[in-house]
Amino acid sequence: MRNTVKHAIVLADREWCEAATSGKIRVYDFRERKKGIHALGPGSVCVVLSKAGKNQPQVVYGEFRVVDVKQVNVNEYNKLASQGLIYKPQTLKPGERRWIIIFDEFREYQRKVPKEQLTDVKTSTSKKPISEWVIMGLSYIDDQALEGIRKKTQITPLNEISERIKKLEERVAFIEKLLGVES
């Protein structure tokens, strides 16, 4: 059986998205208690959906690649907060624990697409498109949905870029041959 990497859509406010874009933070922390997010792991991609604001729809803002997912205690949480890796850290009570996602780089999408425009983006098993989903904090997606979101936001996967470069090199070689130019 093939082990597939799970991905997710996570919800954040616009200020968090701006802080992540600046590279200042490296932790996504859940504001409420999560029972576990074990399906995510190193290599998973989290697409960040910004919360709706006054006269602003929810938009697909960017993505990050997961380095680690873990539950931390107050001391670990406060250490990460003191390093400036958590945006607006929470005040945790003694003995309290929080699930966090540590990520390496936040990529802001070239085009921020309103969630309502994801009418043709689905997971391989979902009946409804993501535009109809109610996302409250974290919703799992698969490779199919991730690639659909990336196409809408104009993020091109590396293999597609490599294929374009290969075709351009072939064209240049053909033109050089026609002109009698040695490469």
Side-chain angles (χ1 to χ4, degrees), residues 49 57-61 109-118 149 151-154:
L49 182 66
Q58 286 184 313
V59 296
V60 181
Y61 197 94
Y109 287 150
Q110 297 166 1
R111 193 171 147 250
K112 289 161 189 67
V113 177
K115 186 178 105 200
E116 300 85 50
Q117 290 183 14
L118 300 177
I149 290 168
K151 282 181 183 171
K152 289 278 188 182
T153 59
Q154 299 174 340

Side-chain angles (χ1 to χ4, degrees), residues 31-146:
R31 295 292 169 193
E32 69 283 339
R33 292 181 187 181
K34 280 279 178 214
K35 292 188 178 173
I37 48 177
H38 303 291
L40 294 178
S44 293
V45 173
C46 289
V47 173
V48 179
L49 182 66
S50 72
K51 294 178 182 175
K54 189 174 184 176
N55 300 321
Q56 294 179 326
Q58 286 184 313
V59 296
V60 181
Y61 197 94
E63 69 179 52
F64 59 79
R65 185 165 304 281
V66 174
V67 172
D68 196 11
V69 177
K70 62 183 180 177
Q71 192 177 39
V72 295
N73 63 27
V74 175
N75 294 336
E76 291 172 291
Y77 187 88
N78 289 339
K79 182 179 177 186
L80 292 166
S82 70
Q83 293 171 351
L85 299 175
I86 300 175
Y87 179 74
K88 290 187 180 178
Q90 305 171 60
T91 304
L92 302 182
K93 297 174 186 163
E96 198 171 357
R97 299 176 70 78
R98 276 291 183 268
W99 280 98
I100 62 168
I101 300 172
I102 299 172
F103 59 92
D104 56 3
E105 180 184 351
F106 184 84
R107 288 186 3 188
E108 182 179 357
Y109 287 150
Q110 297 166 1
R111 193 171 147 250
K112 289 161 189 67
V113 177
K115 186 178 105 200
E116 300 85 50
Q117 290 183 14
L118 300 177
T119 56
D120 58 343
V121 179
K122 296 180 182 182
T123 66
S124 59
T125 57
S126 64
K127 290 182 170 63
K128 292 184 178 185
I130 292 175
S131 61
E132 295 180 28
W133 292 13
V134 176
I135 299 170
M136 302 296 286
L138 179 136
S139 295
Y140 290 109
I141 59 173
D142 59 12
D143 288 332
Q144 176 180 306
L146 177 62

